[in-house]
Amino acid sequence: MGETTLTFLGSQILNIPFLIAYITAIALALYRYPTQGKPALLAGCGFFLFIMGWLINAAHMYWQIFSIQNGGGAQALVPIAYLTGLASHLSELVGLVLVMIALFGTRNSPVGGTESINARNTRT
């Protein structure tokens, strides 16, 4: 491994638990989709957008480390840092809104219909 790669991995060591949590949340959302329906789908999409924000930040960090180690000036990094920061924060903001809608704004309805499973099982 090169020096750039090792430096990049060292810079991301504190962010890896978040990536693992986001992947776990997507897996749980997919698992709960048949019973939860739309809220699980919204939560899964929200956590996917969190992963996209994480990936944008990671790609920017790698590019920044690579550029500085190869003699690039810090002034050349400013426009790209602005754009990647904006894209990352917008992705995370939309993801957060989707997760909040999943938690507080939608009914618990299964995929197959609009009734809850408990209502179907207790119907006489």
Side-chain angles (χ1 to χ4, degrees):
M1 288 187 154
E3 184 180 337
T4 303
T5 305
L6 288 175
T7 305
F8 168 72
L9 291 175
S11 72
Q12 295 301 307
I13 198 77
L14 295 176
N15 294 327
I16 299 235
F18 290 105
L19 181 63
I20 293 169
Y22 297 152
I23 291 170
T24 303
I26 289 174
L28 288 172
L30 289 174
Y31 176 75
R32 298 292 292 179
Y33 178 70
T35 58
Q36 297 295 317
K38 187 177 176 183
L41 181 65
L42 287 172
C45 290
F47 285 113
F48 176 76
L49 288 173
F50 283 148
I51 288 177
M52 293 306 297
W54 187 93
L55 288 174
I56 292 169
N57 283 335
H60 171 72
M61 180 61 71
Y62 184 82
W63 178 75
Q64 188 175 7
I65 291 169
F66 178 78
S67 177
I68 289 174
Q69 286 184 349
N70 291 327
Q75 224 171 8
L77 299 174
V78 172
I80 300 298
Y82 174 74
L83 293 175
T84 56
L86 181 66
S88 166
H89 290 312
L90 283 176
S91 174
E92 292 172 355
L93 176 65
V94 172
L96 180 62
V97 168
L98 289 176
V99 170
M100 287 172 30
I101 290 171
L103 286 173
F104 305 116
T106 57
R107 272 186 355 129
N108 182 8
S109 61
V111 175
T114 58
E115 293 179 313
S116 71
I117 292 175
N118 289 336
R120 278 194 231 165
N121 291 338
T122 58
R123 196 174 4 172
T124 57

